[in-house]
Amino acid sequence: MKTQGRTYFLTGVLISVAGALCFSTKAILVKLAYQNFEIDALTLLGLRMLFSLPFFLLFSIRAFFRYALPVTLKQWIAICATGLLGYHISSLLDFAGLLYISAGLERLILFIYPTLVLLMSSIIFRERITQRQWVAVTVSLLVS
């Protein structure tokens, strides 16, 4: 069983690193779009969301049928509001910020964010930082 746990852990690390690398390219592509097309942040974000919609729908449908968790109307409203306010606004600010700063600085800010959250939760909530969390922070900082 230990081998399976180690395999899951290594798989998780590899997927996280691949995701971070792909996530890092987003800023470069946004900067290229700003340079080569007359486009604003809202339109570019709308295009990004339009192209990603089929993937989100596919994964949502798969998760719905695989896990079939009951979700009330109130929960659906909360989920949609969280997605709209949390993800959409943060992405819009991210895209708008790329008009003013370099892609490298923007990525650095985004990759330092989890470290700041971990440190603040340790200080404010007096939570002990686990070895796994230190490894995760180290990996995210190495990738950035």
Side-chain angles (χ1 to χ4, degrees):
M1 193 67 163
K2 284 186 177 187
T3 305
Q4 185 180 13
R6 184 173 293 156
T7 302
Y8 281 146
F9 178 75
L10 291 175
T11 302
V13 169
L14 290 175
I15 291 171
S16 297
V17 169
L21 290 171
C22 291
F23 186 65
S24 295
T25 61
K26 177 185 61 115
I28 296 167
L29 295 175
V30 169
K31 291 296 271 189
L32 287 172
Y34 285 149
Q35 287 176 358
N36 296 314
F37 305 101
E38 290 184 23
I39 193 165
D40 61 298
L42 189 59
T43 304
L44 192 57
L45 181 61
L47 287 170
R48 178 181 180 230
M49 291 190 172
L50 183 66
F51 287 126
S52 65
L53 182 64
F55 297 100
F56 282 110
L57 288 176
L58 178 71
F59 289 122
S60 297
I61 291 167
R62 181 176 177 248
F64 177 78
F65 286 111
R66 178 177 242 184
Y67 302 110
L69 298 174
V71 180
T72 66
L73 179 62
K74 185 178 179 181
Q75 290 171 327
W76 273 116
I77 292 169
I79 290 168
C80 291
T82 302
L84 181 65
L85 294 174
Y87 185 76
H88 184 71
I89 292 174
S90 68
S91 293
L92 181 60
L93 293 172
D94 183 25
F95 277 47
L98 282 166
L99 287 167
Y100 304 101
I101 63 173
S102 70
L105 179 57
E106 185 263 354
R107 292 290 99 183
L108 182 62
I109 292 168
L110 284 177
F111 278 103
I112 287 176
Y113 175 74
T115 306
L116 296 176
V117 170
L118 183 65
L119 293 174
M120 287 189 301
S121 66
S122 173
I123 293 167
I124 295 170
F125 300 115
R126 297 191 183 357
E127 293 180 3
R128 184 180 164 271
I129 300 173
T130 66
Q131 182 179 4
R132 182 173 278 186
Q133 289 170 321
W134 281 119
V135 170
V137 165
T138 303
V139 169
S140 82
L141 292 175
L142 287 174
V143 172
S144 66

